[in-house]
C-alpha cells in the first residue's frame, strides 16, 4: 500500500512537471515498469495521452549513448585532421616564403658584395673625379642592398667629405643603423659625434658608452680613444692599468704591421706654422726623396750602400729622416751595416726627439720587442694607418674644405694626437666652420688647446692663457691666465713672458709690480728678437708712467699753488710721442682672431 502511494505520487509529479518517470533513476527496472503503467493510466484518465512515451530500455539507451559518443568522437577527429592539415599548409607556405626571402637576401648580399668590390677597385686604381663619383654610386647601391662594409664606407665618406659633398645628417642616419646591427665602426663614429656635438647633442656620457661598445667589438680606434681617456682622465677616473690594457691591444696589431713594412707613418703638419702653399712644404718633398732611397735600398746590396751613405750624410747634417732610416738599417742589419740594437736605439732616439715619425716608430718597435726600454705602447699606437688622415685633412684644408678638414683632425685629436688637437683648435678659431654653431666654437677650441697644452705644447699653453684672460669660451679669469702664462714661460716662450709682464704692470690676477714687469719685458726681448720693438714700446710706456708720477710728486712738493709750470707742456709732449710711436707699431703674434694682451696694450 505504501509503495502504491509513492507510485501514485510520482506519477502525479511526473504528469504535472512533464518529466518522464525514467529520470527518477533510483528505482529498479520492474518498479519503473509498474510506475510507467500507472502514469499511462493516469494520463489517459486526465485526457493527456499525447504525453505517453515508450518506456526506455536501459540497454538500448546505453548503446545509443555509446553510438552518439563515437559519432561525436569521429566528428572531433575529422575536425582535428582538418585543423592539422590547415596548419600544415600554413607552415608550408611560411617555410616557402622564408625560403624565398632567404634566397632573395642571399642574392642581394652577393650582388652587394660584387658592387662593393667594384667600387673599391675603381677607388684604388683611378684618380679622376668622374671615376670616383661612379665608384661612390656603386657603393651607394651596395649599401642600399644592406652590405655592411659598403654602409660603413659610405657613412665615412658622408661624414668626412671624401670625394663628394659632406652630409652629416645622412652619415648620422647610416651610423645609427650600423650601430643597431652591431657594427663597431658605427658605434665608434656615434661616440665621436656625441663627443663633439657634431650632428647631434654634445653628450660625453653617451660618447663613452659608444666607445666602450666599439672597443668590446674590437675597434682599434675606440680602444685607442679609451686608452687616451684613461691615461689623461677625460670623463673617467685616471687609470694607468686601463689605459695600458687598451693601448696594448692596438700596439700589438700596429707593431705587427710595421714589422712587415705594411704601413709607414706620415708627417704631421702644424697648420699655424706652415705656409698655405703645399708645394713649398719641404717635409713632404724630403719624405718623397727618402721613400725613393728606400726603394733603391730594396733593389740590391750596392744600392743599400749608397742609401746608407746618403742617410749618414743627411743625419750628420741634422736631417731627421736620415737619422730615422739609419736606425732602421741598424735594426735590420745588411751588408752595409752590422745589426746593432744599440745603434738603432741611438739614431731612432735622435730622430724621435725632433718629432720624426719613423724615429718614433723605431723606438716603439724596440720597446715592443723589449730591446731598448720598457714598452711604451702609445708611441706605437700613433703610427697606425689612421694617421694617414693627417694628409687628407691637410689637403682638405688647403682646398678650402674646412669642415671636412676639421672632422678628420677632430677624430685624430680624440685619439690623443697633440698635433691634431692644436690644428682642430686653430680651425675652430678661424670662424670658418659651418657644421657647428657659434656658441660651440670657443668652448671646443679651449678644450682642445688645453689638451694640447697638457701634452707639452707651449704655444697651446699660451693660447689657453689668452682664452682665460679675455673670457673666450669660459669666464674671464686673470688668475688662471697668469698660471698658464707662467707654465709657458718654463718653455722659454717670449710671448708668455711679455703677457706676464703686462699683467704685472697692471696688477691683473697677480700683485702689481713695475719692477717685475720691467724684468719680464727684458727677458722677452732676450728670448726672441721679434719681441724687441714691442718690449721697447712697453719700456717707453713704463718710463712715461714713472715720469708722470715723478712730475706729479714734484708739483705737489716744489711748485707753489696757482703758478704754472713747464711740467704740463712736458707731459703733453710725452703723450704725443707715446701715441705716435704706438701708431706705427705692428702686431707681434701668430695670426689670430683673438686680441692678445699686447694688442690690447697698444689699443688695437
Amino acid at each position: 500500500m505504501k509503495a502504491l502511494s509513492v507510485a501514485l505520487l510520482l506519477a502525479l509529479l511526473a504528469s504535472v512537471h512533464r518529466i518522464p518517470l525514467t529520470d527518477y533513476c533510483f528505482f529498479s527496472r520492474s518498479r519503473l515498469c509498474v510506475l510507467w503503467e500507472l502514469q499511462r493510466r493516469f494520463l489517459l484518465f486526465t485526457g493527456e495521452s499525447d504525453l505517453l512515451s515508450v518506456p526506455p530500455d536501459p540497454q538500448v539507451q546505453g548503446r545509443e549513448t555509446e553510438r552518439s559518443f563515437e559519432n561525436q568522437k569521429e566528428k572531433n577527429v575529422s575536425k582535428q585532421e582538418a585543423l592539422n592539415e590547415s596548419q600544415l599548409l600554413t607552415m608550408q607556405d611560411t617555410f616557402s616564403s622564408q625560403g624565398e626571402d632567404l634566397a632573395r637576401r642571399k642574392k642581394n648580399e652577393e650582388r652587394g658584395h660584387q658592387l662593393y668590390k667594384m667600387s673599391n677597385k675603381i677607388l684604388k686604381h683611378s684618380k679622376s673625379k668622374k671615376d670616383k663619383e661612379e665608384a661612390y654610386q656603386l657603393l651607394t647601391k651596395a649599401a642600399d642592398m644592406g652590405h655592411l662594409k659598403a654602409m660603413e664606407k659610405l657613412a665615412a665618406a658622408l661624414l668626412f667629405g671624401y670625394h663628394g659633398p659632406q652630409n652629416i645628417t645622412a652619415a648620422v642616419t647610416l651610423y645609427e643603423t650600423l650601430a643597431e646591427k652591431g657594427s663597431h665602426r658605427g658605434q665608434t663614429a656615434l661616440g665621436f659625434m656625441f663627443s663633439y656635438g657634431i650632428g647631434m647633442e654634445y653628450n660625453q656620457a653617451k660618447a663613452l658608452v659608444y666607445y666602450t661598445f666599439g672597443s668590446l667589438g674590437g675597434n682599434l680606434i675606440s680602444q685607442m680613444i679609451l686608452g687616451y681617456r684613461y691615461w689623461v682622465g677625460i670623463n673617467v677616473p685616471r687609470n694607468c692599468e686601463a689605459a695600458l690594457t687598451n693601448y696594448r691591444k692596438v700596439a700589438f696589431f700596429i707593431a705587427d704591421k710595421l714589422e712587415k713594412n705594411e704601413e709607414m707613418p706620415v708627417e704631421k703638419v702644424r697648420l699655424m706654422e706652415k705656409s698655405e702653399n703645399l708645394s713649398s712644404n719641404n717635409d713632404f718633398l724630403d719624405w718623397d726623396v727618402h721613400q725613393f732611397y728606400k726603394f733603391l735600398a730594396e733593389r740590391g746590396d750596392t744600392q743599400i750602400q749608397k742609401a746608407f751613405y746618403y742617410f749618414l750624410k743627411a743625419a750628420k747634417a741634422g736631417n731627421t729622416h736620415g737619422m730615422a732610416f739609419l736606425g732602421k738599417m741598424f735594426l735590420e742589419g745588411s751588408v752595409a751595416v752590422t745589426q746593432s740594437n744599440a745603434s738603432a736605439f741611438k739614431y731612432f732616439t735622435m730622430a724621435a726627439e725632433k718629432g720624426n715619425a719613423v724615429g718614433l716608430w723605431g723606438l716603439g718597435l724596440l720597446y715592443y720587442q723589449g730591446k731598448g726600454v720598457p714598452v711604451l705602447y702609445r708611441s706605437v699606437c700613433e703610427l697606425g694607418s689612421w694617421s694617414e688622415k693627417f694628409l687628407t685633412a691637410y689637403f682638405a684644408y688647403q682646398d678650402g674644405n674646412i669642415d671636412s678638414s676639421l672632422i678628420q683632425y677632430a677624430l685624430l685629436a680624440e685619439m690623443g694626437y697633440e698635433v691634431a688637437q692644436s690644428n682642430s683648435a686653430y680651425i675652430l678659431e678661424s670662424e670658418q666652420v659651418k657644421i657647428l654653431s657659434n656658441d660651440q666654437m670657443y668652448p671646443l677650441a679651449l678644450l682642445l688647446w688645453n689638451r694640447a697644452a697638457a701634452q707639452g705644447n707651449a704655444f697651446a699653453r699660451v693660447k689657453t692663457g689668452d682664452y682665460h684672460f679675455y673670457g673666450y669660451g669660459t669666464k674671464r679669469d686673470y688668475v688662471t691666465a697668469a698660471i698658464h702664462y707662467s707654465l709657458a714661460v718654463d718653455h722659454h716662450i717670449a710671448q708668455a713672458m711679455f703677457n706676464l709682464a703686462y699683467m704685472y704692470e697692471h696688477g691683473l690676477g697677480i700683485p702689481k709690480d713695475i719692477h717685475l714687469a720691467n724684468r719680464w719685458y727684458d727677458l722677452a726681448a732676450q728670448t726672441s728678437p721679434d719681441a724687441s720693438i714691442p718690449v721697447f714700446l712697453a719700456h717707453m710706456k713704463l718710463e712715461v708712467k714713472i715720469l708722470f708720477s715723478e712730475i706729479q710728486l714734484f708739483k705737489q712738493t716744489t711748485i707753489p699753488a696757482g703758478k704754472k709750470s713747464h711740467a704740463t707742456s712736458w707731459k703733453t709732449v710725452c703723450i704725443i710721442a707715446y701715441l705716435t710711436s704706438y701708431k706705427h707699431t705692428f702686431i707681434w703674434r701668430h695670426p689670430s682672431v683673438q686680441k692678445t694682451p699686447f694688442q690690447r696694450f697698444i689699443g688695437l
Side-chain angles (χ1 to χ4, degrees):
M1 190 65 181
K2 183 177 180 181
L4 183 59
S5 300
V6 173
L8 290 173
L9 180 60
L10 289 172
L12 180 60
L13 289 172
S15 62
V16 172
H17 295 286
R18 304 296 193 268
I19 299 174
L21 282 173
T22 53
D23 289 351
Y24 296 96
C25 55
F26 49 84
F27 290 101
S28 62
R29 185 169 182 275
S30 60
R31 288 182 178 179
L32 284 173
C33 291
V34 173
L35 292 174
W36 179 82
E37 181 62 24
L38 290 173
Q39 181 187 20
R40 186 181 69 80
R41 291 182 181 181
F42 179 79
L43 292 174
L44 287 172
F45 175 75
T46 57
E48 298 181 1
S49 57
D50 56 322
L51 296 175
L52 289 173
S53 59
V54 180
D57 188 344
Q59 294 179 353
V60 175
Q61 188 178 18
R63 285 195 296 271
E64 290 178 353
T65 302
E66 291 176 1
R67 191 180 300 112
S68 175
F69 177 76
E70 290 175 357
N71 291 338
Q72 186 64 35
K73 185 177 180 182
E74 290 176 359
K75 289 180 181 179
N76 291 340
V77 170
S78 299
K79 288 181 180 179
Q80 186 64 39
E81 289 176 350
L83 181 62
N84 290 342
E85 185 176 356
S86 175
Q87 291 177 344
L88 182 61
L89 291 173
T90 303
M91 291 175 65
Q92 288 175 350
D93 291 340
T94 301
F95 286 139
S96 176
S97 176
Q98 289 178 348
E100 291 175 359
D101 290 343
L102 185 62
R104 193 181 304 112
R105 265 199 314 271
K106 189 175 181 181
K107 187 176 180 180
N108 282 343
E109 287 177 0
E110 291 176 354
R111 177 59 179 161
H113 186 63
Q114 291 175 357
L115 292 172
Y116 175 72
K117 288 175 65 178
M118 291 170 61
S119 172
N120 277 347
K121 188 175 180 180
I122 294 173
L123 290 173
K124 186 176 181 180
H125 297 95
S126 179
K127 294 183 179 180
S128 71
K129 185 177 179 181
K130 184 178 179 181
D131 289 341
K132 288 178 179 179
E133 289 177 354
E134 180 186 352
Y136 274 95
Q137 287 177 358
L138 296 174
L139 197 66
T140 303
K141 291 180 180 178
D144 290 339
M145 293 178 179
H147 192 273
L148 192 67
K149 290 185 177 180
M151 292 173 68
E152 291 173 343
K153 193 160 189 175
L154 181 62
L158 293 170
L159 177 63
F160 296 111
Y162 294 150
H163 312 299
Q166 197 174 21
N167 191 330
I168 303 296
T169 304
V172 169
T173 302
L174 263 177
Y175 277 129
E176 286 177 340
T177 303
L178 287 166
E180 290 175 359
K181 292 177 177 288
S183 166
H184 58 77
R185 287 188 175 89
Q187 293 162 347
T188 300
L190 287 179
F192 164 66
M193 287 186 280
F194 273 118
S195 179
Y196 283 91
I198 297 173
M200 51 187 60
E201 62 175 325
Y202 175 84
N203 192 317
Q204 289 293 334
K206 288 184 179 179
L208 185 61
V209 169
Y210 277 111
Y211 284 146
T212 302
F213 278 114
S215 175
L216 292 173
N219 188 274
L220 297 177
I221 292 178
S222 275
Q223 290 169 356
M224 191 166 172
I225 290 172
L226 287 179
Y228 174 65
R229 288 197 167 212
Y230 279 110
W231 178 50
V232 179
I234 300 176
N235 298 112
V236 292
R238 292 195 66 178
N239 189 326
C240 291
E241 185 177 352
L244 183 62
T245 300
N246 283 282
Y247 276 137
R248 184 189 291 117
K249 295 174 183 177
V250 185
F252 284 164
F253 178 84
I254 300 302
D256 182 62
K257 291 284 186 182
L258 292 172
E259 199 169 22
K260 296 176 181 177
N261 291 323
E262 293 181 12
E263 294 182 1
M264 290 297 292
V266 298
E267 291 295 326
K268 303 172 182 63
V269 180
R270 293 187 184 275
L271 297 181
M272 68 283 293
E273 297 176 0
K274 296 296 180 181
S275 169
E276 293 185 359
N277 185 4
L278 182 61
S279 62
S280 64
N281 191 328
N282 294 327
D283 285 342
F284 285 103
L285 296 178
D286 287 346
W287 180 259
D288 291 338
V289 170
H290 289 296
Q291 286 293 90
F292 176 68
Y293 284 149
K294 179 176 181 291
F295 167 74
L296 291 178
E298 292 172 350
R299 293 183 57 186
D301 295 342
T302 304
Q303 301 298 336
I304 289 178
Q305 291 172 351
K306 288 182 180 180
F308 176 73
Y309 168 76
Y310 285 112
F311 285 146
L312 185 60
K313 191 173 181 180
K316 289 181 178 179
N319 184 280
T320 59
H321 295 299
M323 299 171 187
F325 279 101
L326 278 178
K328 193 171 187 300
M329 295 183 81
F330 277 112
L331 179 65
E332 296 173 349
S334 67
V335 294
V337 295
T338 304
Q339 197 280 337
S340 171
N341 291 333
S343 296
F345 183 78
K346 170 188 172 182
Y347 284 108
F348 281 145
T349 302
M350 290 170 62
E353 285 176 350
K354 297 188 178 183
N356 182 274
V358 180
L360 289 169
W361 164 78
L363 281 182
L365 187 60
L366 288 172
Y367 297 162
Y368 168 69
Q369 295 174 345
K371 296 177 180 178
V373 293
V375 181
L376 295 178
Y377 292 108
R378 186 167 183 260
S379 300
V380 182
C381 294
E382 291 190 349
L383 301 174
S385 60
W386 41 75
S387 64
E388 292 176 0
K389 279 188 172 56
F390 275 103
L391 293 181
T392 56
Y394 183 73
F395 294 145
Y397 181 80
Q398 292 297 314
D399 292 339
N401 299 325
I402 304 300
D403 289 336
S404 174
S405 179
L406 173 64
I407 292 284
Q408 296 178 69
Y409 277 131
L411 178 60
L412 294 167
E414 190 77 350
M415 298 167 71
Y417 289 92
E418 178 271 312
V419 176
Q421 291 166 350
S422 300
N423 288 353
S424 299
Y426 180 82
I427 292 174
L428 285 167
E429 207 175 61
S430 70
E431 297 183 344
Q432 299 180 52
V433 178
K434 298 178 181 177
I435 58 174
L436 294 173
S437 61
N438 291 332
D439 58 350
Q440 289 179 281
M441 300 291 188
Y442 289 121
L444 274 178
L446 174 58
L447 176 70
L448 290 163
W449 283 128
N450 198 36
R451 289 181 182 178
Q455 298 199 65
N457 186 320
F459 178 79
R461 182 67 71 186
V462 175
K463 294 293 292 186
T464 306
D466 290 346
Y467 273 57
H468 285 284
F469 186 93
Y470 292 106
Y472 293 120
T474 184
K475 293 181 179 179
R476 186 182 297 238
D477 188 342
Y478 291 131
V479 174
T480 304
I483 291 172
H484 284 289
Y485 291 145
S486 298
L487 291 172
V489 160
D490 294 339
H491 294 271
H492 306 287
I493 304 299
Q495 182 67 59
M497 297 174 184
F498 187 94
N499 294 352
L500 200 59
Y502 180 86
M503 298 185 78
Y504 271 116
E505 179 184 349
H506 296 277
L508 301 174
I510 48 181
K512 186 174 181 179
D513 192 321
I514 298 297
H515 299 290
L516 273 178
N518 260 322
R519 178 60 180 154
W520 281 115
Y521 281 136
D522 289 338
L523 286 174
Q526 294 171 14
T527 303
S528 172
D530 294 337
S532 299
I533 294 178
V535 168
F536 170 76
L537 297 175
H539 276 310
M540 186 175 178
K541 178 185 176 184
L542 287 176
E543 292 296 334
V544 170
K545 278 187 175 182
I546 294 171
L547 181 60
F548 284 169
S549 63
E550 289 176 351
I551 291 173
Q552 196 67 26
L553 180 61
F554 178 77
K555 284 177 62 178
Q556 293 174 359
T557 57
T558 63
I559 300 177
K563 290 189 177 181
K564 290 186 178 181
S565 166
H566 293 292
T568 304
S569 58
W570 171 243
K571 179 178 179 181
T572 304
V573 171
C574 290
I575 291 174
I576 292 172
Y578 167 70
L579 293 176
T580 303
S581 64
Y582 278 106
K583 181 179 178 182
H584 298 287
T585 191
F586 59 88
I587 299 172
W588 178 59
R589 187 68 177 253
H590 288 290
S592 172
V593 297
Q594 311 297 338
K595 286 186 178 180
T596 68
F598 175 65
Q599 291 172 295
R600 184 181 180 183
F601 160 65
I602 62 177
L604 292 177

